[in-house]
Amino acid sequence: MNALKHIKILYVNDKKDKEEYFVSELKSYCNNFIQTNCSESAIKIYKEEKPEIIIYNVSFEKTSPKSFIEEIRSVNKKAQVIITTENLDKKMLYEAVRLHLIKYLIYPFNLNTLLDSLKDCIRIIDSNSSNIIKLSETLTYDKFNKTLLKNEELVSLSSKEVKFFDVLIKNKDRAVSYEEFNQIIWEGEMTKDALRSIVKDLRRKIDKSIIKNVSGIGYRVEL
């Protein structure tokens, strides 16, 4: 992954007694890799070194990353932050959207999963865009953590609803065909009734005007 050689990464490990398994491998990809086991020193390092990406290995029993990320955001609103943790709940997912956090990675995960998240960070840096999409005045979507907020409340979605909505967002500039939904979500075993049921349930949970039917083709998202 050559792009990482030109990116500066700050790795923060608040567990102190345990270095994550991927660190030594990641160093081989990155020429500028900075480590610290203290969030206070990490903020000082961030202000001095200005790394593009932060990986924060956090134990929520000891501390919350909220104040740390808020401090980082006060310096750079577009800072890319990846949190690695063993636990995750709805409150954390809400905070991820509110703080424009790029990604939560939940153990166990492998190096390739982390590298994919780093690629997402680099794409955002290069495009000067965000992983948070404002769908309407009341609806916000985090396309990397695949979470949906309505009126600042996390919307509970089934696995198929998540896949359906994610396909729409990834193809937001066009209509997605029935055949594509069939292959991506149902792996070739979709019925029209099953698809209609997904759309009906989603429209009930969110703004009905967001999902548009395109006659004879499929569905698209209205942004």
Side-chain angles (χ1 to χ4, degrees):
M1 190 174 174
N2 291 330
L4 275 181
K5 294 187 181 298
H6 309 289
I7 294 290
K8 189 179 293 184
I9 295 176
L10 172 60
Y11 167 64
V12 188
N13 180 11
D14 82 342
K15 294 182 180 179
K16 297 182 181 180
D17 59 336
K18 182 182 178 182
E19 182 174 271
E20 288 182 290
Y21 69 92
F22 61 76
V23 170
S24 59
E25 291 189 64
L26 191 56
K27 286 178 181 176
S28 67
Y29 288 92
C30 184
N31 291 337
N32 297 289
F33 192 88
I34 308 165
Q35 290 180 250
T36 180
N37 58 13
C38 172
S39 58
E40 287 80 9
S41 67
I43 291 170
K44 182 180 179 182
I45 292 169
Y46 185 81
K47 290 177 179 178
E48 292 175 351
E49 298 290 338
K50 297 179 175 59
E52 289 90 349
I53 301 171
I54 299 169
I55 302 172
Y56 191 175
N57 176 25
V58 62
S59 168
F60 288 100
E61 296 174 357
K62 298 178 182 179
T63 186
S64 167
K66 180 181 176 181
S67 59
F68 170 77
I69 296 170
E70 287 177 337
E71 181 71 19
I72 292 297
R73 294 294 191 209
S74 71
V75 179
N76 179 5
K77 292 181 180 180
K78 297 180 181 179
Q80 301 296 294
V81 184
I82 297 171
I83 300 289
T84 62
T85 184
E86 295 174 355
N87 302 293
L88 185 63
D89 60 24
K90 289 184 177 180
K91 182 180 178 181
M92 296 174 197
L93 288 171
Y94 167 75
E95 290 297 333
V97 176
R98 193 181 71 81
L99 295 169
H100 284 223
L101 174 63
I102 178 73
K103 187 76 172 179
Y104 273 107
L105 291 182
I106 313 303
Y107 292 104
F109 62 87
N110 57 36
L111 180 63
N112 286 334
T113 300
L114 176 60
L115 290 175
D116 286 342
S117 295
L118 290 170
K119 289 176 186 176
D120 289 335
C121 289
I122 292 169
R123 277 194 287 269
I124 288 176
I125 292 168
D126 289 344
S127 65
N128 196 29
S129 63
S130 173
N131 60 301
I132 306 300
I133 299 174
K134 187 80 170 177
L135 299 170
S136 70
E137 288 301 313
T138 60
L139 205 63
T140 307
Y141 184 67
D142 178 343
K143 63 184 179 180
F144 293 130
N145 289 299
K146 295 181 174 59
T147 51
L148 196 62
L149 289 182
K150 184 177 182 180
N151 294 319
E152 298 189 348
E153 293 289 335
L154 197 66
V155 179
S156 179
L157 301 176
S158 70
S159 60
K160 279 190 169 58
E161 287 170 348
V162 169
K163 289 179 180 179
F164 176 87
F165 201 75
D166 195 54
V167 171
L168 287 182
I169 293 295
K170 286 179 178 176
N171 299 279
K172 57 185 176 61
D173 298 321
R174 66 177 180 88
V176 181
S177 69
Y178 301 119
E179 290 76 16
E180 288 175 278
F181 287 122
N182 184 21
Q183 293 303 319
I184 296 170
I185 302 175
W186 280 271
E187 297 180 350
E189 298 181 358
M190 182 192 81
T191 65
K192 288 285 183 70
D193 286 342
L195 183 59
R196 290 192 193 100
S197 177
I198 293 291
V199 174
K200 181 181 178 181
D201 289 342
L202 266 174
R203 283 175 170 164
R204 179 174 50 83
K205 294 177 181 180
I206 64 176
D207 186 340
K208 292 181 180 180
S209 65
I210 294 294
I211 301 173
K212 297 289 187 181
N213 176 250
V214 181
S215 181
I217 299 175
Y219 294 92
R220 65 179 177 84
V221 65
E222 182 78 9
L223 298 182

